[in-house]
Amino acid sequence: MKTIEEITRYYGPQLAKAAFELGAIRLSPREPFTWASGYRMPIYNDNRQFLAKAGYRALICDAFTDMLEALDMDPRNIAGTATAGIPHATTLADRLQKPLSYVRSSSKDHGLGHQIEGLGKDGSYHGDTVCLIEDLISTGKSSIAAVKAIVEADGVVPYCLAIFTYGLDAAAQAFAALQPGCEAYTILSYPVMVKTAQEVGYISREEADMLHSWREDPFGWGEKNGFAKVER
């Protein structure tokens, strides 16, 4: 049986190249993007671009399937975060022939007011194990909120699997503080993404160094490099 490390080493570079091809990951350390927060950042991620090709959706599903096997987990339910995690949770649930649910960022303010869709009338997982599928782990806030919502609905969430992570300390600390615990694993890590980008000629060595320095201080990186925050 493959280990998680072997799986990510195999799938990670493939996914990085697909992300560059589709524009799911864009790198521009010399002319950074302006995020919604106003901070200037050298990377922009939109994993919805993977939906454009069936082969890449299948690649992501293959990786998640192998990761579950490596973790010796046979979940009773596959849950996706709304909205970007839903397509990949659906593909995985179909592959494994498992029930599917999805978790909103908050409860609806109309109708039945559900935050989680796909459960029975009582809105409970009834103690079932759930694998949460996320597209991106940034600071971890949205993933943590989804885990807590599932737990409140009587689900057990030992693992959160995601496509990509920036690898920020804030996310690691957020998951470490969860009780009951939930471990996060991603197909593509930030270091592998940067390494692959340099290997394929997308960025230079100097730009790779700039991208590594961003991860060390993401919210101070712009000011340090002469890119002031844009006030909204």
Side-chain angles (χ1 to χ4, degrees), residues 33-41 218-220 222 227-230 232:
F33 305 97
T34 302
W35 282 14
S37 60
Y39 285 100
R40 304 293 300 281
M41 305 294 200
F219 298 103
F227 305 111
K229 180 182 178 182
V230 176
R232 302 291 189 179

Side-chain angles (χ1 to χ4, degrees), residues 211-231:
L211 286 161
H212 284 304
S213 68
W214 170 78
R215 197 179 70 158
E216 294 171 2
D217 183 17
F219 298 103
W221 180 89
E223 292 283 357
K224 290 178 181 177
N225 288 275
F227 305 111
K229 180 182 178 182
V230 176
E231 297 300 332

Side-chain angles (χ1 to χ4, degrees), residues 46-157:
D46 182 3
N47 288 326
R48 289 168 295 190
Q49 299 299 326
F50 286 119
L51 303 181
K53 288 199 174 183
Y56 293 151
R57 297 197 306 272
L59 180 71
I60 290 168
C61 186
D62 288 344
F64 283 152
T65 302
D66 286 355
M67 291 167 82
L68 285 175
E69 183 177 354
L71 294 167
D72 193 25
M73 184 188 187
D74 182 20
R76 296 291 299 275
N77 193 290
I78 304 296
T81 55
T83 58
I86 295 174
H88 304 290
T90 301
T91 305
L92 180 62
D94 286 348
R95 171 80 63 86
L96 301 178
Q97 291 294 286
K98 301 289 185 180
L100 172 71
S101 56
Y102 72 83
V103 189
R104 293 187 177 87
S105 58
S106 61
S107 299
K108 291 195 301 184
D109 60 2
H110 60 281
L112 299 177
H114 290 165
Q115 182 175 2
I116 302 177
E117 300 289 1
L119 303 181
K121 289 183 179 179
D122 60 3
S124 174
Y125 285 100
H126 298 286
D128 284 348
T129 53
V130 182
C131 177
L132 179 63
I133 300 298
E134 178 70 278
D135 77 312
L136 170 70
I137 296 178
S138 179
T139 61
K141 288 183 180 179
S142 62
S143 306
I144 296 299
V147 170
K148 290 181 177 179
I150 293 171
V151 171
E152 288 176 5
D154 195 24
V156 179
V157 202

Side-chain angles (χ1 to χ4, degrees), residues 139-221:
T139 61
K141 288 183 180 179
S142 62
S143 306
I144 296 299
V147 170
K148 290 181 177 179
I150 293 171
V151 171
E152 288 176 5
D154 195 24
V156 179
V157 202
Y159 301 111
C160 172
L161 305 184
I163 295 173
F164 179 51
T165 179
Y166 294 137
L168 303 182
D169 290 340
Q173 292 166 5
F175 272 96
L178 268 177
Q179 292 296 333
C182 176
E183 295 181 75
Y185 294 96
T186 62
I187 303 170
L188 176 61
S189 69
Y190 189 83
V192 168
M193 182 278 296
V194 174
K195 182 175 184 289
T196 305
Q198 191 177 349
E199 288 175 348
V200 300
Y202 184 6
I203 57 173
S204 66
R205 173 59 184 273
E206 184 180 353
E207 289 171 326
D209 290 341
M210 293 176 73
L211 286 161
H212 284 304
S213 68
W214 170 78
R215 197 179 70 158
E216 294 171 2
D217 183 17
F219 298 103
W221 180 89

